[in-house]
Amino acid sequence: MTPHHVVVGAGPVGRHVAELLAGRGDRVTIVTRSGRDTGLPHVGHVGLDASDATALTRVTEGAATLYNCANPGDYTQWERAWPPLASALTTAAERTGAVYAITGNLYPYGPVDGPMHPGLPDAATDHKGILRARLWADALAAHDAGRLRTVEVRASDYVGPGIGENGHITRVLPAALRGRAVSMVGRTDLPHTFTDVLDVARTLVAAAEDEGSHGRTWMVPSNAPRSQQQALTDVLAAAGAPRVTVRRLPAGLFRTVGLVSPMMREIADMTYQWTAPYVVDDHESRERFGIDPTPWDEVCRRTATGAAA
């Protein structure tokens, strides 16, 4: 019988997950509010509010895996949007027996003094990091109680196609491709890990299907860290474009503007990621799943091509 998978979210990770699974002949259903067709071949689409546990359970019935690739984009709405969504996803996995595979991020760790790895405690102090840590803790508690099977993979800042304004490199890439000077957050010369969205999808699928990996978090294999300026320069080179002037946006600027702008206040909470090295240690994932990151040259080409599409 052909396995069926439900993917909640049609952003870059959800699309890559669906494409990987459908490409090997599995049945895939993407769930979004609109139900809009992504154009991916052999992939079904359903429109529903994924925070409706009953509706989501109905779609997930009989599925092998429920992939959480959702990403409420507005930080100011996270406290409202995430808890009911995560609760519905957990409930649907419990009711159907589907493996619950979660796309995570590094926010739960908060500021760090060295490379991030799964053995670090979730010690965030900002509300977004605390929230994401709590959502994982809730899913893990259900796993430990035997009510479901779950796993979370955590990735650093995304590169690759389809990221757009949600990526620190891709946000400035269109202007840089036109030869304009750009501004980037914090220090632009510090080592920072960037993760290709394709590698997020590859790791998420591998972790979901490896029963022995469940009940914990894993880091997505990523290329060696590069500074913001170097990463942007590399992507420009892949597009045959010259390097551009990169200006710094001081972290303090976001705190000042945040006095009158809720969104800038939310971004200010995260500027610690750009004022010190922000590096991932992914050796456990590489060893467990046999996954190496997509070569950096290819990552840069994919990112540049995606920006031009």
Side-chain angles (χ1 to χ4, degrees):
M1 184 175 178
T2 303
H4 178 215
H5 310 276
V6 175
V7 180
V8 176
V13 175
R15 289 174 60 90
H16 277 86
V17 167
E19 191 170 28
L20 287 172
L21 295 169
R24 69 188 194 187
D26 291 1
R27 188 161 68 93
V28 181
T29 300
I30 291 180
V31 171
T32 59
R33 282 184 178 272
S34 68
R36 185 178 64 182
D37 192 330
T38 60
L40 294 172
H42 312 300
V43 172
H45 301 80
V46 171
L48 61 84
D49 180 354
S51 63
D52 181 338
T54 299
L56 185 59
T57 297
R58 189 162 51 246
V59 172
T60 308
E61 199 66 54
T65 316
L66 175 60
Y67 287 96
N68 178 357
C69 301
N71 183 32
D74 186 346
Y75 282 159
T76 67
Q77 299 300 310
W78 269 30
E79 297 289 350
R80 178 191 62 80
W82 260 122
L85 176 57
S87 176
L89 285 155
T90 301
T91 298
E94 287 189 37
R95 290 176 177 173
T96 63
V99 172
Y100 180 33
I102 304 170
T103 310
N105 58 32
L106 306 180
Y107 294 5
Y109 298 120
V112 293
D113 293 326
M116 288 164 282
H117 57 85
L120 283 180
D122 286 349
T125 56
D126 71 283
H127 81 94
K128 294 182 292 300
I130 291 170
L131 174 61
R132 286 307 306 250
R134 186 176 81 240
L135 298 182
W136 166 242
D138 290 345
L140 181 59
H143 173 95
D144 291 343
R147 303 201 311 270
L148 53 70
R149 296 166 294 160
T150 191
V151 65
E152 178 170 292
V153 303
R154 295 181 173 180
S156 193
D157 293 274
Y158 292 167
V159 284
I163 311 298
E165 288 290 322
N166 294 318
H168 289 273
I169 301 301
T170 52
R171 176 181 60 82
V172 301
L173 185 54
L177 286 169
R178 294 193 293 272
R180 297 180 182 174
V182 299
S183 298
M184 306 184 82
V185 179
R187 293 275 301 273
T188 62
D189 59 340
L190 294 173
H192 194 99
T193 295
F194 294 95
T195 305
D196 191 314
V197 287
L198 173 60
D199 295 332
V200 180
R202 293 168 64 211
T203 308
L204 191 61
V205 170
E209 297 181 345
D210 180 352
E211 189 169 345
S213 76
H214 297 169
R216 56 162 291 180
T217 62
W218 299 88
M219 293 296 189
V220 176
S222 304
N223 281 280
R226 287 161 171 81
S227 70
Q228 292 186 82
Q229 183 160 8
Q230 186 59 58
L232 176 62
T233 299
D234 290 347
V235 175
L236 289 172
R243 65 188 301 155
V244 298
T245 299
V246 177
R247 305 189 184 102
R248 291 176 52 189
L249 292 173
L253 174 65
F254 292 90
R255 288 189 287 272
T256 300
V257 178
L259 295 174
V260 295
S261 168
M263 188 60 179
M264 288 300 103
R265 188 158 56 246
E266 297 291 345
I267 294 174
D269 287 343
M270 313 307 297
T271 53
Y272 66 83
Q273 299 178 5
W274 306 98
T275 56
Y278 201 68
V279 175
V280 163
D281 177 354
D282 59 18
H283 79 274
E284 285 187 276
S285 297
R286 295 191 190 217
E287 293 173 3
R288 177 78 193 191
F289 305 120
I291 293 175
D292 289 320
T294 301
W296 182 245
D297 287 349
E298 185 178 344
V299 173
C300 292
R301 179 189 58 77
R302 282 166 36 81
T303 304
T305 301

